[in-house]
Amino acid sequence: MTEMSSEAGPAPLSQGIRIESAEVRLVRLPLLVPFVISTGTMTDKLFPLLILKGEGLEGIAEGVMDPQPDYLEETVAGGLDFLCTALLPQVVGKRFRSPYELEPILGPWRGNRMTRAMVEMAFWDLWAKSLGLPLQCALGGVGDHVDVGVSLGIAPAETTLERVAEAVAGGYKRTKLKIRKGHDLKIVAAVRDRFPEIKLTVDANTDYGLQDMQLLQGLDAFGLDYIEQPLAYDDIHDHATLQAALKTAICLDESIRNAVDARKALAMGAARVINIKVGRVGGLASARAIHDTCAAFGAPVWCGGMLESGIGRAHNIHMATMANFTKPGDTSSASRYFARDIINEPLEASQGRMPVPGNGAGIGVTLDRAYLATVSDLREEIRA
Ligand code: OSB
Ligand code: MG
């Protein structure tokens, strides 16, 4: 081993980055309006925040698991425990030359992809910063903005029509309506009637079964861009049966955990579009692998969301600059969700275009530490 140079500046790439410490916080941000989907209602956004420190830099990521296992299996409490008792002790004090060197540590664990993604994403940010590169460049993305739409929670027809009008007036490039049994054909018909030309999609968050085939075929009448995750979270097979009976494309969200799932789903004809959420799939390397698999199948992808704070939003925006993210994503303005964000740089879309944050390196946003302190608790500080 050669001695490290005493001159200032980043360490030579070959030596990698030593993770000197990790800070874990639990953050609670009140939502401006409750967000209702088929599996439940969210009134606050409660999430773990991870800050990895090394080489005088900070890499930051947030977890997208919910308090209860209603979207997928992971929970905030389980994630915090796994992070603090298993994952962080495996990485703090160690040196990594690229995010891919985390794979032997993170890869063998079962499930818990949202928690594993936190470590991986925070390290991507730290690594990109150490190289002086925006995260999008480290990932191979290009462009200074991404196209975005809105995701509208379940609400009475009048409220939904007002929200759609607002989104359309704001220039958002797509409107997604959350649906569930008993709140589907009528609401979609009402929106389509009032807005005949807009790009419209629906998301059932797994509420239906093959026994609802006729009802789901009824959605073909509305010219939807796709129907997101109509069937079970752990199913691909029945989605193939349903897709064969529909004109409208199916988009899978919950069912796709990695690039192998994406390959199987596309090969079986279970979907024609994939929603990529970096947390759901275990991190940015997995997200990029899914993106590449979909590109090979000629299937477009788009970037989903989990009502993230500005930290998760920034990761999403950088990721969505990769070439096959050709459909508008869910990363709308943070001010639609929160009175105040935990970052210093507002992430606001204009005319359905969300700017890629930062002229600098990594995710391009910085924590508002003073505000963060008022909406979070320190849960763990691990030092080498
Ligand atoms: O299925 O895409 C989903 C929010 C919480 C849980 C699941 C989903 C969503 C969204 C919101 O649709 C997207 C966003 O605005 O972040
Ligand atoms: Mg979804």
Side-chain angles (χ1 to χ4, degrees), residues 306-378:
M306 294 291 286
L307 316 186
E308 291 94 336
S309 84
I311 295 298
R313 261 167 226 278
H315 278 277
N316 288 343
I317 298 164
H318 281 270
M319 176 179 80
T321 63
M322 289 191 282
N324 193 37
F325 281 86
T326 52
K327 290 190 178 290
D330 268 348
T331 314
S332 59
S333 297
S335 63
R336 295 183 61 251
Y337 295 103
F338 312 114
R340 186 168 171 184
D341 202 344
I342 59 168
I343 58 170
N344 293 307
E345 306 75 8
L347 291 180
E348 297 298 297
S350 164
Q351 292 308 310
R353 292 153 73 102
M354 177 63 91
V356 179
N359 315 315
I363 58 175
V365 298
T366 54
L367 285 172
D368 178 346
R369 278 282 186 177
Y371 182 58
L372 180 64
T374 69
V375 290
S376 67
D377 298 319
L378 178 64

Side-chain angles (χ1 to χ4, degrees), residues 128-363:
K129 283 169 176 161
S130 78
L131 298 172
L133 288 176
L135 179 59
Q136 72 171 144
C137 299
L139 288 167
V142 292
D144 61 3
H145 73 275
V146 296
D147 285 350
V148 293
V150 295
S151 174
L152 302 180
I154 292 168
E158 270 321 301
T159 311
T160 297
L161 288 167
E162 280 166 28
R163 289 177 182 168
V164 178
E166 221 175 288
V168 171
Y172 280 107
K173 305 222 186 239
R174 174 270 276 148
T175 300
K176 158 167 138 185
L177 304 175
K178 292 289 188 179
I179 59 169
R180 70 174 165 217
K181 280 188 207 131
H183 181 88
D184 38 44
L185 294 173
K186 258 166 70 182
I187 193 85
V188 177
V191 170
R192 190 41 109 196
D193 190 49
R194 186 81 65 87
F195 302 93
E197 305 292 342
I198 61 170
K199 186 176 280 194
L200 191 62
T201 73
V202 295
D203 186 356
N205 289 108
T206 77
D207 209 38
Y208 298 87
L210 283 182
Q211 71 278 6
D212 303 308
M213 180 87 89
Q214 275 199 322
L215 185 148
L216 294 167
Q217 284 174 320
L219 290 170
D220 274 338
F222 302 110
L224 302 176
D225 198 40
Y226 49 79
I227 300 171
E228 188 175 339
Q229 196 69 40
L231 310 180
Y233 77 94
D234 54 357
D235 170 77
I236 290 178
H237 185 275
D238 283 356
H239 279 103
T241 306
L242 178 63
Q243 181 67 90
L246 290 178
K247 288 201 210 79
T248 312
I250 290 176
C251 169
L252 289 177
D253 173 352
E254 282 91 329
S255 301
I256 304 299
R257 302 164 298 180
N258 51 45
V260 173
D261 286 346
R263 170 176 61 76
K264 290 176 181 171
L266 294 170
M268 285 169 67
R272 297 187 198 136
V273 180
I274 303 285
N275 165 342
I276 299 182
K277 290 179 181 169
V278 54
R280 191 193 73 224
V281 305
L284 288 161
S286 171
R288 187 160 72 179
I290 295 172
H291 164 275
D292 294 351
T293 296
C294 292
F297 276 89
V301 304
W302 56 277
C303 175
M306 294 291 286
L307 316 186
E308 291 94 336
S309 84
I311 295 298
R313 261 167 226 278
H315 278 277
N316 288 343
I317 298 164
H318 281 270
M319 176 179 80
T321 63
M322 289 191 282
N324 193 37
F325 281 86
T326 52
K327 290 190 178 290
D330 268 348
T331 314
S332 59
S333 297
S335 63
R336 295 183 61 251
Y337 295 103
F338 312 114
R340 186 168 171 184
D341 202 344
I342 59 168
I343 58 170
N344 293 307
E345 306 75 8
L347 291 180
E348 297 298 297
S350 164
Q351 292 308 310
R353 292 153 73 102
M354 177 63 91
V356 179
N359 315 315
I363 58 175

Side-chain angles (χ1 to χ4, degrees), residues 21-25 49-53 369 378 380-381:
S21 68
E23 175 183 346
V24 179
R25 308 192 72 90
L49 185 74
L50 171 64
I51 303 155
L52 294 179
K53 300 170 196 179
R369 278 282 186 177
L378 178 64
E380 192 82 39
E381 218 165 2

